[in-house]
PDB file of all heavy atoms in Angstrom:
ATOM      1  N   SER A 444       9.209 -12.654 -13.975  1.00  0.00           N
ATOM      2  CA  SER A 444       9.054 -14.054 -13.530  1.00  0.00           C
ATOM      3  C   SER A 444       8.519 -14.107 -12.090  1.00  0.00           C
ATOM      4  O   SER A 444       7.884 -15.076 -11.702  1.00  0.00           O
ATOM      5  CB  SER A 444      10.382 -14.811 -13.620  1.00  0.00           C
ATOM      6  OG  SER A 444      11.330 -14.273 -12.721  1.00  0.00           O
ATOM      7  N   GLY A 445       8.754 -13.041 -11.317  1.00  0.00           N
ATOM      8  CA  GLY A 445       8.222 -12.964  -9.960  1.00  0.00           C
ATOM      9  C   GLY A 445       6.769 -12.555  -9.921  1.00  0.00           C
ATOM     10  O   GLY A 445       6.176 -12.423  -8.840  1.00  0.00           O
ATOM     11  N   LYS A 446       6.175 -12.306 -11.118  1.00  0.00           N
ATOM     12  CA  LYS A 446       4.757 -11.927 -11.260  1.00  0.00           C
ATOM     13  C   LYS A 446       4.393 -10.679 -10.452  1.00  0.00           C
ATOM     14  O   LYS A 446       3.296 -10.572  -9.886  1.00  0.00           O
ATOM     15  CB  LYS A 446       3.852 -13.100 -10.870  1.00  0.00           C
ATOM     16  CG  LYS A 446       4.037 -14.309 -11.781  1.00  0.00           C
ATOM     17  CD  LYS A 446       3.135 -15.451 -11.397  1.00  0.00           C
ATOM     18  CE  LYS A 446       3.362 -16.645 -12.330  1.00  0.00           C
ATOM     19  NZ  LYS A 446       2.592 -17.815 -11.958  1.00  0.00           N
ATOM     20  N   ALA A 447       5.368  -9.736 -10.405  1.00  0.00           N
ATOM     21  CA  ALA A 447       5.123  -8.509  -9.647  1.00  0.00           C
ATOM     22  C   ALA A 447       4.572  -7.378 -10.511  1.00  0.00           C
ATOM     23  O   ALA A 447       4.115  -6.360 -10.003  1.00  0.00           O
ATOM     24  CB  ALA A 447       6.427  -8.053  -8.986  1.00  0.00           C
ATOM     25  N   VAL A 448       4.638  -7.541 -11.861  1.00  0.00           N
ATOM     26  CA  VAL A 448       4.188  -6.469 -12.768  1.00  0.00           C
ATOM     27  C   VAL A 448       2.671  -6.525 -12.921  1.00  0.00           C
ATOM     28  O   VAL A 448       2.117  -7.555 -13.319  1.00  0.00           O
ATOM     29  CB  VAL A 448       4.888  -6.594 -14.146  1.00  0.00           C
ATOM     30  CG1 VAL A 448       4.417  -5.476 -15.068  1.00  0.00           C
ATOM     31  CG2 VAL A 448       6.394  -6.584 -13.982  1.00  0.00           C
ATOM     32  N   LYS A 449       2.023  -5.427 -12.608  1.00  0.00           N
ATOM     33  CA  LYS A 449       0.550  -5.335 -12.712  1.00  0.00           C
ATOM     34  C   LYS A 449       0.159  -4.061 -13.487  1.00  0.00           C
ATOM     35  O   LYS A 449       0.899  -3.077 -13.533  1.00  0.00           O
ATOM     36  CB  LYS A 449      -0.086  -5.251 -11.301  1.00  0.00           C
ATOM     37  CG  LYS A 449       0.408  -6.304 -10.309  1.00  0.00           C
ATOM     38  CD  LYS A 449      -0.176  -7.658 -10.589  1.00  0.00           C
ATOM     39  CE  LYS A 449       0.295  -8.687  -9.560  1.00  0.00           C
ATOM     40  NZ  LYS A 449      -0.168 -10.035  -9.839  1.00  0.00           N
ATOM     41  N   ASN A 450      -1.033  -4.110 -14.084  1.00  0.00           N
ATOM     42  CA  ASN A 450      -1.644  -2.932 -14.734  1.00  0.00           C
ATOM     43  C   ASN A 450      -0.747  -2.258 -15.749  1.00  0.00           C
ATOM     44  O   ASN A 450      -0.670  -1.017 -15.800  1.00  0.00           O
ATOM     45  CB  ASN A 450      -2.089  -1.905 -13.665  1.00  0.00           C
ATOM     46  CG  ASN A 450      -2.942  -2.528 -12.585  1.00  0.00           C
ATOM     47  OD1 ASN A 450      -3.797  -3.357 -12.864  1.00  0.00           O
ATOM     48  ND2 ASN A 450      -2.706  -2.137 -11.340  1.00  0.00           N
ATOM     49  N   LEU A 451      -0.046  -3.034 -16.559  1.00  0.00           N
ATOM     50  CA  LEU A 451       0.861  -2.459 -17.563  1.00  0.00           C
ATOM     51  C   LEU A 451       0.071  -1.839 -18.714  1.00  0.00           C
ATOM     52  O   LEU A 451      -0.777  -2.481 -19.318  1.00  0.00           O
ATOM     53  CB  LEU A 451       1.813  -3.559 -18.087  1.00  0.00           C
ATOM     54  CG  LEU A 451       2.722  -3.174 -19.265  1.00  0.00           C
ATOM     55  CD1 LEU A 451       3.640  -2.030 -18.882  1.00  0.00           C
ATOM     56  CD2 LEU A 451       3.518  -4.382 -19.729  1.00  0.00           C
ATOM     57  N   LYS A 452       0.376  -0.572 -19.001  1.00  0.00           N
ATOM     58  CA  LYS A 452      -0.275   0.125 -20.127  1.00  0.00           C
ATOM     59  C   LYS A 452       0.808   0.856 -20.928  1.00  0.00           C
ATOM     60  O   LYS A 452       1.664   1.531 -20.353  1.00  0.00           O
ATOM     61  CB  LYS A 452      -1.300   1.143 -19.612  1.00  0.00           C
ATOM     62  CG  LYS A 452      -2.536   0.494 -18.986  1.00  0.00           C
ATOM     63  CD  LYS A 452      -3.456   1.539 -18.427  1.00  0.00           C
ATOM     64  CE  LYS A 452      -4.609   0.886 -17.651  1.00  0.00           C
ATOM     65  NZ  LYS A 452      -5.406   1.867 -16.898  1.00  0.00           N
ATOM     66  N   VAL A 453       0.734   0.687 -22.242  1.00  0.00           N
ATOM     67  CA  VAL A 453       1.661   1.374 -23.148  1.00  0.00           C
ATOM     68  C   VAL A 453       0.861   2.123 -24.183  1.00  0.00           C
ATOM     69  O   VAL A 453       0.025   1.528 -24.882  1.00  0.00           O
ATOM     70  CB  VAL A 453       2.632   0.364 -23.833  1.00  0.00           C
ATOM     71  CG1 VAL A 453       3.601   1.097 -24.737  1.00  0.00           C
ATOM     72  CG2 VAL A 453       3.365  -0.480 -22.809  1.00  0.00           C
ATOM     73  N   GLU A 454       1.092   3.450 -24.286  1.00  0.00           N
ATOM     74  CA  GLU A 454       0.318   4.253 -25.223  1.00  0.00           C
ATOM     75  C   GLU A 454       1.191   5.379 -25.770  1.00  0.00           C
ATOM     76  O   GLU A 454       1.638   6.254 -25.011  1.00  0.00           O
ATOM     77  CB  GLU A 454      -0.913   4.851 -24.507  1.00  0.00           C
ATOM     78  CG  GLU A 454      -1.940   5.400 -25.474  1.00  0.00           C
ATOM     79  CD  GLU A 454      -3.213   5.829 -24.738  1.00  0.00           C
ATOM     80  OE1 GLU A 454      -3.545   5.224 -23.701  1.00  0.00           O
ATOM     81  OE2 GLU A 454      -3.853   6.763 -25.221  1.00  0.00           O
ATOM     82  N   ASP A 455       1.466   5.346 -27.081  1.00  0.00           N
ATOM     83  CA  ASP A 455       2.282   6.373 -27.757  1.00  0.00           C
ATOM     84  C   ASP A 455       3.618   6.616 -27.030  1.00  0.00           C
ATOM     85  O   ASP A 455       4.042   7.766 -26.850  1.00  0.00           O
ATOM     86  CB  ASP A 455       1.496   7.696 -27.850  1.00  0.00           C
ATOM     87  CG  ASP A 455       0.233   7.551 -28.675  1.00  0.00           C
ATOM     88  OD1 ASP A 455       0.236   6.706 -29.599  1.00  0.00           O
ATOM     89  OD2 ASP A 455      -0.747   8.249 -28.387  1.00  0.00           O
ATOM     90  N   GLY A 456       4.244   5.555 -26.592  1.00  0.00           N
ATOM     91  CA  GLY A 456       5.550   5.683 -25.937  1.00  0.00           C
ATOM     92  C   GLY A 456       5.470   5.929 -24.443  1.00  0.00           C
ATOM     93  O   GLY A 456       6.465   5.803 -23.728  1.00  0.00           O
ATOM     94  N   ASP A 457       4.272   6.317 -23.949  1.00  0.00           N
ATOM     95  CA  ASP A 457       4.099   6.516 -22.505  1.00  0.00           C
ATOM     96  C   ASP A 457       3.845   5.145 -21.833  1.00  0.00           C
ATOM     97  O   ASP A 457       3.055   4.342 -22.347  1.00  0.00           O
ATOM     98  CB  ASP A 457       2.933   7.450 -22.201  1.00  0.00           C
ATOM     99  CG  ASP A 457       3.217   8.861 -22.685  1.00  0.00           C
ATOM    100  OD1 ASP A 457       4.388   9.179 -22.957  1.00  0.00           O
ATOM    101  OD2 ASP A 457       2.250   9.653 -22.809  1.00  0.00           O
ATOM    102  N   ILE A 458       4.487   4.928 -20.718  1.00  0.00           N
ATOM    103  CA  ILE A 458       4.395   3.632 -20.023  1.00  0.00           C
ATOM    104  C   ILE A 458       3.922   3.852 -18.592  1.00  0.00           C
ATOM    105  O   ILE A 458       4.442   4.710 -17.878  1.00  0.00           O
ATOM    106  CB  ILE A 458       5.783   2.937 -19.984  1.00  0.00           C
ATOM    107  CG1 ILE A 458       6.370   2.783 -21.397  1.00  0.00           C
ATOM    108  CG2 ILE A 458       5.675   1.568 -19.307  1.00  0.00           C
ATOM    109  CD1 ILE A 458       7.857   2.429 -21.414  1.00  0.00           C
ATOM    110  N   SER A 459       2.932   3.070 -18.189  1.00  0.00           N
ATOM    111  CA  SER A 459       2.531   3.093 -16.773  1.00  0.00           C
ATOM    112  C   SER A 459       2.351   1.652 -16.298  1.00  0.00           C
ATOM    113  O   SER A 459       1.905   0.794 -17.048  1.00  0.00           O
ATOM    114  CB  SER A 459       1.226   3.884 -16.590  1.00  0.00           C
ATOM    115  OG  SER A 459       0.156   3.197 -17.159  1.00  0.00           O
ATOM    116  N   LEU A 460       2.763   1.402 -15.080  1.00  0.00           N
ATOM    117  CA  LEU A 460       2.621   0.073 -14.507  1.00  0.00           C
ATOM    118  C   LEU A 460       2.767   0.148 -12.984  1.00  0.00           C
ATOM    119  O   LEU A 460       3.208   1.155 -12.440  1.00  0.00           O
ATOM    120  CB  LEU A 460       3.701  -0.881 -15.077  1.00  0.00           C
ATOM    121  CG  LEU A 460       5.160  -0.509 -14.794  1.00  0.00           C
ATOM    122  CD1 LEU A 460       5.737  -1.357 -13.678  1.00  0.00           C
ATOM    123  CD2 LEU A 460       6.024  -0.664 -16.033  1.00  0.00           C
ATOM    124  N   ASP A 461       2.375  -0.935 -12.362  1.00  0.00           N
ATOM    125  CA  ASP A 461       2.540  -1.075 -10.910  1.00  0.00           C
ATOM    126  C   ASP A 461       3.441  -2.266 -10.641  1.00  0.00           C
ATOM    127  O   ASP A 461       3.352  -3.287 -11.329  1.00  0.00           O
ATOM    128  CB  ASP A 461       1.194  -1.290 -10.210  1.00  0.00           C
ATOM    129  CG  ASP A 461       0.308  -0.059 -10.292  1.00  0.00           C
ATOM    130  OD1 ASP A 461       0.835   1.065 -10.192  1.00  0.00           O
ATOM    131  OD2 ASP A 461      -0.916  -0.223 -10.497  1.00  0.00           O
ATOM    132  N   ILE A 462       4.298  -2.132  -9.640  1.00  0.00           N
ATOM    133  CA  ILE A 462       5.073  -3.263  -9.125  1.00  0.00           C
ATOM    134  C   ILE A 462       4.468  -3.624  -7.777  1.00  0.00           C
ATOM    135  O   ILE A 462       4.439  -2.795  -6.850  1.00  0.00           O
ATOM    136  CB  ILE A 462       6.566  -2.906  -8.952  1.00  0.00           C
ATOM    137  CG1 ILE A 462       7.201  -2.533 -10.304  1.00  0.00           C
ATOM    138  CG2 ILE A 462       7.320  -4.046  -8.301  1.00  0.00           C
ATOM    139  CD1 ILE A 462       7.375  -3.671 -11.287  1.00  0.00           C
ATOM    140  N   GLU A 463       3.962  -4.848  -7.685  1.00  0.00           N
ATOM    141  CA  GLU A 463       3.313  -5.290  -6.438  1.00  0.00           C
ATOM    142  C   GLU A 463       4.199  -6.310  -5.738  1.00  0.00           C
ATOM    143  O   GLU A 463       4.412  -7.416  -6.248  1.00  0.00           O
ATOM    144  CB  GLU A 463       1.948  -5.907  -6.762  1.00  0.00           C
ATOM    145  CG  GLU A 463       1.088  -6.189  -5.539  1.00  0.00           C
ATOM    146  CD  GLU A 463      -0.277  -6.725  -5.936  1.00  0.00           C
ATOM    147  OE1 GLU A 463      -1.179  -5.885  -6.167  1.00  0.00           O
ATOM    148  OE2 GLU A 463      -0.410  -7.961  -6.041  1.00  0.00           O
ATOM    149  N   LEU A 464       4.743  -5.921  -4.599  1.00  0.00           N
ATOM    150  CA  LEU A 464       5.634  -6.790  -3.831  1.00  0.00           C
ATOM    151  C   LEU A 464       4.810  -7.638  -2.861  1.00  0.00           C
ATOM    152  O   LEU A 464       3.798  -7.179  -2.339  1.00  0.00           O
ATOM    153  CB  LEU A 464       6.659  -5.960  -3.055  1.00  0.00           C
ATOM    154  CG  LEU A 464       7.458  -4.935  -3.881  1.00  0.00           C
ATOM    155  CD1 LEU A 464       8.292  -4.043  -2.945  1.00  0.00           C
ATOM    156  CD2 LEU A 464       8.366  -5.651  -4.878  1.00  0.00           C
ATOM    157  N   GLY A 465       5.259  -8.848  -2.611  1.00  0.00           N
ATOM    158  CA  GLY A 465       4.533  -9.725  -1.704  1.00  0.00           C
ATOM    159  C   GLY A 465       5.029  -9.657  -0.280  1.00  0.00           C
ATOM    160  O   GLY A 465       4.670 -10.470   0.559  1.00  0.00           O
ATOM    161  N   TYR A 466       5.859  -8.656   0.008  1.00  0.00           N
ATOM    162  CA  TYR A 466       6.461  -8.509   1.342  1.00  0.00           C
ATOM    163  C   TYR A 466       6.554  -7.018   1.674  1.00  0.00           C
ATOM    164  O   TYR A 466       6.562  -6.173   0.766  1.00  0.00           O
ATOM    165  CB  TYR A 466       7.871  -9.132   1.355  1.00  0.00           C
ATOM    166  CG  TYR A 466       8.770  -8.568   0.283  1.00  0.00           C
ATOM    167  CD1 TYR A 466       9.571  -7.457   0.542  1.00  0.00           C
ATOM    168  CD2 TYR A 466       8.812  -9.120  -0.998  1.00  0.00           C
ATOM    169  CE1 TYR A 466      10.368  -6.909  -0.446  1.00  0.00           C
ATOM    170  CE2 TYR A 466       9.607  -8.585  -1.982  1.00  0.00           C
ATOM    171  CZ  TYR A 466      10.396  -7.475  -1.710  1.00  0.00           C
ATOM    172  OH  TYR A 466      11.197  -6.937  -2.676  1.00  0.00           O
ATOM    173  N   PRO A 467       6.594  -6.644   2.957  1.00  0.00           N
ATOM    174  CA  PRO A 467       6.678  -5.231   3.295  1.00  0.00           C
ATOM    175  C   PRO A 467       8.084  -4.694   3.015  1.00  0.00           C
ATOM    176  O   PRO A 467       9.073  -5.347   3.341  1.00  0.00           O
ATOM    177  CB  PRO A 467       6.384  -5.203   4.817  1.00  0.00           C
ATOM    178  CG  PRO A 467       6.809  -6.552   5.291  1.00  0.00           C
ATOM    179  CD  PRO A 467       6.563  -7.512   4.151  1.00  0.00           C
ATOM    180  N   ALA A 468       8.154  -3.536   2.375  1.00  0.00           N
ATOM    181  CA  ALA A 468       9.476  -3.014   1.996  1.00  0.00           C
ATOM    182  C   ALA A 468       9.452  -1.477   1.886  1.00  0.00           C
ATOM    183  O   ALA A 468       9.878  -0.912   0.907  1.00  0.00           O
ATOM    184  CB  ALA A 468       9.909  -3.640   0.672  1.00  0.00           C
ATOM    185  N   LYS A 469       8.934  -0.844   2.916  1.00  0.00           N
ATOM    186  CA  LYS A 469       8.793   0.620   2.895  1.00  0.00           C
ATOM    187  C   LYS A 469      10.131   1.308   2.578  1.00  0.00           C
ATOM    188  O   LYS A 469      10.176   2.256   1.814  1.00  0.00           O
ATOM    189  CB  LYS A 469       8.292   1.061   4.281  1.00  0.00           C
ATOM    190  CG  LYS A 469       7.656   2.446   4.315  1.00  0.00           C
ATOM    191  CD  LYS A 469       7.041   2.635   5.696  1.00  0.00           C
ATOM    192  CE  LYS A 469       6.516   4.025   5.884  1.00  0.00           C
ATOM    193  NZ  LYS A 469       5.989   4.217   7.248  1.00  0.00           N
ATOM    194  N   SER A 470      11.207   0.782   3.159  1.00  0.00           N
ATOM    195  CA  SER A 470      12.510   1.405   2.968  1.00  0.00           C
ATOM    196  C   SER A 470      13.095   1.155   1.582  1.00  0.00           C
ATOM    197  O   SER A 470      14.065   1.793   1.171  1.00  0.00           O
ATOM    198  CB  SER A 470      13.503   0.923   4.046  1.00  0.00           C
ATOM    199  OG  SER A 470      13.739  -0.471   3.869  1.00  0.00           O
ATOM    200  N   GLN A 471      12.540   0.183   0.856  1.00  0.00           N
ATOM    201  CA  GLN A 471      13.069  -0.205  -0.437  1.00  0.00           C
ATOM    202  C   GLN A 471      12.293   0.352  -1.631  1.00  0.00           C
ATOM    203  O   GLN A 471      12.774   0.318  -2.752  1.00  0.00           O
ATOM    204  CB  GLN A 471      13.037  -1.737  -0.550  1.00  0.00           C
ATOM    205  CG  GLN A 471      13.537  -2.482   0.659  1.00  0.00           C
ATOM    206  CD  GLN A 471      15.028  -2.762   0.561  1.00  0.00           C
ATOM    207  OE1 GLN A 471      15.475  -3.425  -0.335  1.00  0.00           O
ATOM    208  NE2 GLN A 471      15.774  -2.210   1.490  1.00  0.00           N
ATOM    209  N   ILE A 472      11.082   0.853  -1.357  1.00  0.00           N
ATOM    210  CA  ILE A 472      10.172   1.219  -2.444  1.00  0.00           C
ATOM    211  C   ILE A 472      10.769   2.285  -3.376  1.00  0.00           C
ATOM    212  O   ILE A 472      10.706   2.159  -4.598  1.00  0.00           O
ATOM    213  CB  ILE A 472       8.809   1.666  -1.864  1.00  0.00           C
ATOM    214  CG1 ILE A 472       7.995   0.402  -1.506  1.00  0.00           C
ATOM    215  CG2 ILE A 472       8.026   2.538  -2.825  1.00  0.00           C
ATOM    216  CD1 ILE A 472       6.679   0.663  -0.785  1.00  0.00           C
ATOM    217  N   ASP A 473      11.373   3.323  -2.812  1.00  0.00           N
ATOM    218  CA  ASP A 473      11.922   4.401  -3.642  1.00  0.00           C
ATOM    219  C   ASP A 473      13.010   3.873  -4.547  1.00  0.00           C
ATOM    220  O   ASP A 473      13.072   4.216  -5.741  1.00  0.00           O
ATOM    221  CB  ASP A 473      12.422   5.533  -2.736  1.00  0.00           C
ATOM    222  CG  ASP A 473      12.598   6.832  -3.515  1.00  0.00           C
ATOM    223  OD1 ASP A 473      11.739   7.143  -4.354  1.00  0.00           O
ATOM    224  OD2 ASP A 473      13.625   7.508  -3.311  1.00  0.00           O
TER     225      ASP A 473
END
């Protein structure tokens, strides 16, 4: 709902995606 999910790809059970935050959060990323 926060529209942070980008570039979602699902292939044979493998999942790749990006989470794009609208604020700086270097300490929170991990």
Side-chain angles (χ1 to χ4, degrees):
S444 66
K446 298 180 180 176
V448 180
K449 310 286 182 184
N450 308 320
L451 173 61
K452 290 176 187 170
V453 181
E454 194 174 330
D455 298 330
D457 294 343
I458 305 166
S459 69
L460 62 102
D461 293 321
I462 298 290
E463 190 177 272
L464 307 172
Y466 56 89
K469 199 173 175 183
S470 65
Q471 314 270 300
I472 281 174
D473 197 41

